[in-house]
Amino acid sequence: MIAAFARSLLSGAVVSGTPLLYATLAELIGERAGVVNLGLEGVMLVGAVAGFVAAVHTGNAAVAVATAALAGGVFNLLFAYLVVTRRANQLATGLALMFCGVGLSALIGARYVGRQVSGLAEVPIPTLAEIPVIGPALFVHDVLVYGAVPLAVATWWVLYTTRWGLALRAVGENPVAAFAAGKDPRVLQYQALFIAGMLGGIAGAHLSIGVARTWAEWMTAGRGFIAVALVIFAKWQPLRAIAGAFLFGGAISLQLQLQALGVPISPFVLDMLPYMLSLVVLAVWGGSRRHAAPGSLGRVFQGSP
Amino acid sequence: MRGRAVVLSILAVLVSFVTAHAQPNLVVGILHIGSITDAGYNQAHAEAVEVMKKNLPGVEVIEVENVPEGADAERVMENMIKRGARLIIAASFGYLEPALRVAQRYPEVKFVHPGGYKRAPNLTTYWSSTPEAFYLMGMAAGKVTKTNKIGYVVALPISFFLANVNAFELGARSVNPKAETRVVFTGMFLDPAKEATAAAALLDQGADVLGVIVDSPITVVQTAEKRGAYSVGYHYLGAQKFAPKGWISGIAFTWGTLYTRFARQVMDGTWKSENILGNLSDDFFTIAPFGPAVPAGVVGLVNAKKQEFIAGKAHPFQGPLRDNTGAERVGAGQVFPMTDLGKMNWLVEGVIGQPK
């Protein structure tokens, strides 16, 4: 009984947390380059619908994920053009991008509602999947689940140990200084936003062809905004993002598990659980975020003085 | 120049002649709360309008999707009336107040509203009582389950949804005293990823039948099938193709006949304000054929009960009934009236879940 509950809880946490982690990394990379993207929700939806459409037509999950990543990346380039080249306000443009993504995905997806896809297959990892409780909970998932944590580690590695990562962080802190050092902030921001778009697209595809295996209008249901908050929660650190995404996913899973178990707590209270938990963690670990946020986050680079 | 003017005026006359003949007998406006391709609630209303158009070729339809409940809905309705609409279908629960306000301003226009609890001289309300159908599907599920545990993924603890779950459990228990129904509320009308996690949680708790009351049943039905469990659908009968093995049954609204009737009545002047509550004998909803998982004997049992409901010899909420805290809700020899479904804020004994 307890073993079944633990297995179900862990498995649900991993499944709910995976799209959040991809989305959080997407937002984090963009913000490290100094760009806040409130349109992530729209990017995820474009990825979700592109992945689903590709899965319907090709029946190939790898092609579907690649299509989702490309669609998300290209869609985010539109955002990059507006905020980097046209120097538009990031917050307003992000919100516009969100609504644009909602509408565009609904338009493309309308013909695909109720279509069947085989989606991402579950690939049990040999040996590890045999471990009691933990095995079936953690090692019987699709490849995007397995890829999420290594991707967070890779993001950390790129940001902190490579020249490109250093340049990217420099742009986020002080684009004028980065420019003086010979790095064009605009180029780096375009690169960061393209990669962010790809990750956002993958996050969406995991929802449409990994978890739900269906397309529905606005099926991200606010996860893009949760990811924006998780970046702050993670203090712009990719490794902390792992904890944030899976803690939040775990809270979603826990509240559903408790209901299935028949715990006598109001479903309304349980539904607040992930958000209450986030508030508690922020309060306890709060500390000073003054030095955590990239110095020039949200500012528009006007060119060298 | 003059010749040209003559030609133009002849053309103008011709055009007005042609358009006059193309004038529809009736313009019907319909507002949807969501997208008409949701494989669920909105699609059912949109398909009903198509049925009406097919039955009455002279009818023209103005259809608007994603209309927020409130002032926007009023504006859309007035716009439809300006474009000639004489019958407005305000196809969402929250359109009731806006529709009543517009109805007062345009007494010559007829309004119809699904599930409304208030009427006006030019506003009819209509709904169909679904608990009987859920009772019947519960009977089938109660016979099919091996673990005696049925899981229900439900959007929100709304009285009509609670009533359906209660009827389902009562139906299941009528044929299988050990059957219990566990409910998980997702808090959203549509969040497929969360529905998948909720469905998995119920299956992990030992449920081998899953039911669903959210906008689109696809995710839950599909999750059940993947795990080798049975499923009961709602809103969209096309969901059956996602569960070739485990499908038990499902219901979906089919308002086509009713909409045809409304339009015809408006055209011939016999329309009047009513409160229509359909039941099993009307064709306001369809019960999907039972899947291969349901043995023929069970189908016979269910159909016999269906005839009892239609003949008024049975009632899904026949007392004595206790709620799941043990309190008596319906006394022996009494029934819970179908007209009071909006007040059913409790879950019946045998359902594991919190109604508020």
Side-chain angles (χ1 to χ4, degrees):
Chain A
M1 181 75 174
I2 287 177
F5 177 77
R7 193 186 63 222
S8 190
L9 175 65
L10 267 180
S11 178
V14 169
V15 169
S16 305
T18 295
L20 285 176
L21 182 52
Y22 281 100
T24 305
L25 292 173
E27 184 68 23
L28 189 146
I29 291 171
E31 292 198 9
R32 272 305 176 111
V35 183
V36 179
N37 185 359
L38 294 185
L40 181 61
E41 179 94 355
V43 176
M44 287 171 73
L45 282 166
V46 167
V49 77
F52 191 79
V53 169
V56 167
H57 288 295
T58 68
N60 184 325
V63 173
V65 173
T67 309
L70 193 67
V74 170
F75 188 64
N76 218 26
L77 283 183
L78 176 71
F79 176 70
Y81 172 73
L82 291 168
V83 299
V84 178
T85 306
R86 305 302 305 164
R87 296 172 193 166
N89 178 287
Q90 292 175 5
L91 303 185
T93 311
L95 288 174
L97 186 81
M98 190 271 287
F99 285 111
C100 179
V102 171
L104 182 67
S105 60
L107 181 72
I108 298 169
R111 289 173 47 224
Y112 292 89
V113 174
R115 295 291 290 269
Q116 231 168 338
V117 293
S118 50
L120 289 165
E122 277 173 359
V123 188
I125 295 182
T127 320
L128 290 178
E130 310 290 318
I131 305 171
V133 185
I134 296 172
L138 300 184
F139 302 111
V140 187
H141 289 290
D142 58 65
V143 286
L144 286 181
V145 171
Y146 301 138
V149 170
L151 186 78
V153 176
T155 305
W156 170 83
W157 185 80
V158 169
L159 283 178
Y160 287 92
T161 68
T162 67
R163 273 179 174 280
W164 185 79
L166 179 66
L168 192 82
R169 286 186 293 129
V171 167
E173 295 296 338
N174 189 337
V176 178
F179 187 77
K183 301 287 178 193
D184 187 343
R186 296 189 194 100
V187 172
L188 279 152
Q189 286 180 334
Y190 262 100
Q191 290 169 343
L193 288 175
F194 183 68
I195 294 169
M198 293 208 301
L199 296 183
I202 292 173
H206 190 248
L207 292 173
S208 67
I209 64 170
V211 185
R213 290 159 193 255
T214 182
W215 163 254
E217 238 173 69
W218 211 322
M219 67 180 297
T220 48
R223 287 175 180 78
F225 289 100
I226 290 169
V228 174
L230 281 175
V231 172
I232 301 166
F233 183 95
K235 298 186 177 179
W236 290 267
Q237 304 283 342
L239 299 181
R240 277 177 191 256
I242 302 173
F246 288 114
L247 195 66
F248 201 86
I252 293 173
S253 174
L254 178 66
Q255 76 100 342
L256 296 172
Q257 301 297 333
L258 289 178
Q259 286 195 60
L261 203 61
V263 173
I265 305 174
S266 163
F268 294 110
V269 173
L270 287 174
D271 210 26
M272 290 193 302
L273 193 69
Y275 308 96
M276 289 196 299
L277 192 71
S278 305
L279 284 175
V280 169
V281 173
L282 278 176
V284 173
W285 286 352
S288 164
R289 268 185 305 284
R290 201 149 42 100
H291 305 296
S296 294
L297 186 62
R299 297 211 190 117
V300 177
F301 176 57
Q302 300 288 0
S304 59
Chain B
M1 276 314 279
R2 201 162 171 198
R4 208 178 184 185
V6 170
V7 170
L8 275 179
S9 56
I10 290 171
L11 264 179
V13 169
L14 270 178
V15 166
S16 63
F17 182 75
V18 169
T19 48
H21 268 254
Q23 278 276 310
N25 301 327
L26 176 69
V27 180
V28 179
I30 179 163
L31 297 81
H32 299 284
I33 182 70
S35 160
I36 58 168
T37 52
D38 65 348
Y41 179 86
N42 296 291
Q43 193 162 343
H45 285 287
E47 282 172 5
V49 166
E50 292 306 314
V51 172
M52 176 189 75
K53 270 158 78 175
K54 199 181 264 179
N55 290 343
L56 305 167
V59 171
E60 188 187 288
V61 174
I62 308 171
E63 193 157 27
V64 183
E65 297 172 62
N66 296 309
V67 183
E69 294 163 342
D72 285 313
E74 280 188 56
R75 221 164 19 243
V76 171
M77 284 185 238
E78 293 204 321
N79 193 317
M80 287 170 167
I81 293 166
K82 284 188 187 114
R83 287 170 61 192
R86 287 296 168 269
L87 171 64
I88 302 272
I89 303 170
S92 177
F93 189 71
Y95 294 151
L96 181 63
E97 294 297 334
L100 283 167
R101 282 195 288 273
V102 180
Q104 204 169 18
R105 290 200 287 271
Y106 297 90
E108 74 284 7
V109 180
K110 313 300 181 204
F111 295 77
V112 295
H113 179 271
Y117 50 89
K118 280 193 249 177
R119 280 194 292 145
N122 56 337
L123 188 143
T124 275
T125 55
Y126 62 96
W127 194 245
S128 193
S129 156
T130 48
E132 294 93 339
F134 274 84
Y135 189 100
L136 297 174
M137 297 191 297
M139 286 173 73
K143 279 285 188 188
V144 165
T145 178
K146 292 181 187 77
T147 61
N148 299 324
K149 283 182 184 170
I150 297 157
Y152 243 93
V153 178
V154 182
L156 291 158
I158 295 171
S159 56
F160 290 103
F161 295 172
L162 300 179
N164 287 337
V165 172
N166 286 343
F168 187 91
E169 166 65 16
L170 289 168
R173 220 162 4 121
S174 73
V175 296
N176 176 357
K178 285 192 217 140
E180 60 168 48
T181 302
R182 285 170 189 258
V183 187
V184 172
F185 298 100
T186 59
M188 305 276 272
F189 280 108
L190 193 62
D191 183 342
K194 203 170 179 186
E195 289 153 21
T197 311
L202 287 163
L203 293 170
D204 289 338
Q205 286 301 323
D208 66 348
V209 178
L210 289 187
V212 55
I213 305 181
V214 300
D215 271 0
S216 170
I218 293 174
T219 301
V220 170
V221 167
Q222 203 170 197
T223 307
E225 186 77 2
K226 202 171 101 187
R227 297 265 302 258
Y230 304 104
S231 51
V232 178
Y234 187 40
H235 274 323
Y236 176 60
L237 299 184
Q240 189 166 7
K241 71 170 182 273
F242 291 90
K245 285 201 207 102
W247 178 265
I248 292 176
S249 185
I251 76 163
F253 291 109
T254 45
W255 303 112
T257 318
L258 187 64
Y259 287 0
T260 308
R261 186 170 114 198
F262 286 148
R264 197 173 273 142
Q265 284 174 340
V266 172
M267 283 192 285
D268 60 24
T270 57
W271 188 95
K272 61 181 195 300
S273 173
E274 294 173 85
N275 176 24
I276 300 168
L277 184 66
N279 59 40
L280 279 175
S281 53
D282 296 297
D283 57 356
F284 298 170
F285 60 76
T286 301
I287 301 182
F290 289 102
V294 185
V298 177
V299 174
L301 198 68
V302 171
N303 283 335
K305 192 74 188 179
K306 183 178 176 180
Q307 293 313 317
E308 281 184 43
F309 280 141
I310 290 174
K313 286 183 203 146
H315 192 286
F317 300 120
Q318 178 69 53
L321 293 181
R322 289 177 185 283
D323 69 17
N324 65 0
T325 65
E328 189 180 84
R329 291 293 184 163
V330 180
Q334 290 178 312
V335 296
F336 189 91
M338 287 302 191
T339 44
D340 281 356
L341 286 186
K343 294 175 194 151
M344 193 173 256
N345 58 359
W346 43 274
L347 286 166
V348 79
E349 187 179 15
V351 179
I352 297 171
Q354 300 299 315
K356 53 191 157 199

